[in-house]
Amino acid sequence: MRVGYGLGSFCAGTFSTVPGLLLLYYMTNTLGVPAGLAGLAVFLPKAWDLLANPYVGRLSDRTVSRHGARRPWLLAGAVFLPPAFALTFAGSPFRGASAALYVGVCFLLAATAFALFEVPYKAMPAEMTDDYHEQSALLTWRMGFLGLAILLSGGLAPALVNIDGGEPTTGGYRLMGLLIGAVLLAAMVATFFGTARAPRIERAESEHVGAREQIAAARGNRPFMLLLGLSAAQMLAVGTMLAGAPYFASYILGNTGAVTTLFLALIGPMVVLMPAWVRVSRKFDKRGGMVVSSLLFMTGGAALILTPSFGPVYAHACAVLVGVGYAGLQLLQFSMLADTLIYDELRSGKRRAGVYTGLWTAVETVMMAFGALLLGWVLAAAGFISSEPDEPVRQPGSAIDAILFGGALVPALLMFIAIAFAWRYDLTAERLAALRESRAGAVPEPS
């Protein structure tokens, strides 16, 4: 059951990573799209998630089938996501604004298809177990697979587009899109079959709510709203740093291939440190673990600003430190999300996991994409010059400074905001246990 569920991370990790890492650079340095416009082409399809993801969440809450409420949607995503992803990176006969429109439409289709899979997928843990620490154990498997997926896709995708060692070409991006699309298909189908025998806890009957009621329900769940704010700041930081990685490798380290080694240094710790972060969360509770992981991310990100003085080895060491923190925040975010879903059901007596995960996933993906938009704006304001592979240009010094500022210091500052949210989060194992007792005695906990 744990392995079957964890396999879905190959879809979630891959689709979250590859566009975030390569799509902005693909448009500015291959299709000649101005940086600010390229940022919009990444962001707007994800902004659509604010409507699409909550709607998918409501649909999955109301779904009744012999496969359960969530699993049929996993197959729906498998039908539409792989071809849409491949088309996004297939190249375009257009350049500039027309190319941005083409890529934006394809990415919009891919983002919508991803919502069909991801929203129900994230709602499943709360319906597999309601044990506080079993949530972390179950999600350890998910995070382990997620780390492996991000490691493989984030390392493989840049290598495929840069297969000849020079500036990435349209053919390289097309090959990458086809192969990564095949990985997405395999992951989604495997998750559907791998969760066939997963236990399903009998939950309260699903509530039929509209968008307005959905937002009102979320606002009444204080732990969820604090966690949502924390996640928004963290995902904006991650999205900005991820989008900046190819520029950092190319213009700060002077080696386009370094994006692969930087990414491996960032994600490698996720594969091996998940069990350690579970132990940290048990000892210091999840909030304490989240503060520690955010501090590590913030410190490593801020230190990257000194790379021109200390060189590539130093940059990779900073990336490892960021990766250690990233491993913790990835595990703890989803474990804490499952707790807030259980908290809501205990208080309301209603099944609204899809409602919450739809809103959560929408905010998460929008903030990741906003990171690319933010970096695009910074680069555009600094005079970054877009180009094509056969027509390289020399960037002004202001653009080089903007790559350092936007890709390193801005994410560190955003992580400081996340820490402020983490300090206010107060949903502990003891509080959930007390709420279960009060519900058993029909004594409602105040909001």
Side-chain angles (χ1 to χ4, degrees), residues 32-343:
V33 180
L37 186 58
L40 281 174
V42 176
F43 173 72
L44 291 179
K46 288 296 189 177
W48 162 245
D49 286 349
L50 287 172
L51 297 176
N53 286 25
Y55 181 69
V56 172
R58 294 196 299 272
L59 286 178
S60 72
D61 276 343
R62 299 197 297 264
T63 297
V64 177
S65 80
R66 64 188 181 90
H67 300 298
R70 315 296 176 185
R71 291 179 62 243
W73 296 96
L74 306 185
L75 280 184
V79 171
F80 297 107
L81 178 56
F85 180 87
L87 286 172
T88 300
F89 287 98
S92 167
F94 312 110
R95 290 295 181 267
S98 298
L101 178 61
Y102 168 82
V103 172
V105 170
C106 292
F107 193 43
L108 174 65
L109 296 175
T112 304
F114 179 64
L116 297 178
F117 175 89
E118 182 71 351
V119 174
Y121 177 71
K122 283 186 175 175
M124 291 174 72
E127 297 173 353
M128 291 178 172
T129 177
D130 56 5
D131 180 84
Y132 183 80
H133 291 298
E134 176 62 18
Q135 295 284 356
S136 292
L138 175 62
L139 291 171
T140 296
W141 284 84
R142 181 188 187 276
M143 292 299 107
F145 278 110
L146 180 69
L148 183 59
I150 295 174
L151 187 67
L152 292 177
S153 63
L156 177 63
L160 288 172
V161 302
N162 193 32
I163 199 164
D164 61 358
E167 186 68 18
T169 64
T170 301
Y173 281 108
R174 185 177 298 121
L175 173 63
M176 181 276 296
L178 290 170
L179 292 179
I180 296 299
V183 171
L184 294 171
L185 176 62
M188 288 184 281
V189 172
T191 305
F192 174 80
F193 287 106
T195 55
R197 297 185 178 180
R200 291 196 291 267
I201 295 174
E202 189 67 29
R203 295 298 193 188
E205 185 170 343
S206 174
E207 181 186 32
H208 293 208
V209 295
R212 184 175 299 177
E213 292 81 4
Q214 184 175 3
I215 294 173
R219 291 180 62 184
N221 186 336
R222 183 175 181 273
F224 175 81
M225 293 303 295
L226 288 171
L227 187 62
L228 190 65
L230 175 140
S231 175
Q234 288 180 339
M235 290 303 100
L236 181 55
V238 172
T240 306
M241 183 173 284
L242 202 61
Y247 299 95
F248 190 90
S250 181
Y251 296 107
I252 304 301
L253 299 182
N255 176 12
T256 57
V259 65
T260 298
T261 55
L262 280 172
F263 194 83
L264 294 177
L266 173 67
I267 301 302
M270 182 181 293
V271 178
V272 298
L273 291 180
M274 286 299 172
W277 279 112
V278 172
R279 291 194 292 271
V280 170
S281 71
R282 288 178 181 271
K283 184 173 183 179
F284 299 105
D285 206 77
K286 296 176 186 180
R287 181 181 68 172
M290 181 62 79
V291 171
V292 172
S293 63
S294 300
L295 282 171
L296 291 172
F297 188 108
M298 182 177 69
T299 302
L304 280 169
I305 200 77
L306 300 177
T307 296
S309 299
F310 295 104
V313 175
Y314 170 83
H316 285 75
C318 292
V320 170
L321 184 59
V322 171
V324 174
Y326 184 60
L329 67 88
Q330 279 285 302
L331 170 70
L332 293 167
Q333 267 190 18
F334 294 116
S335 183
M336 292 160 77
L337 172 62
D339 294 337
T340 65
L341 301 183
I342 294 169
Y343 172 79

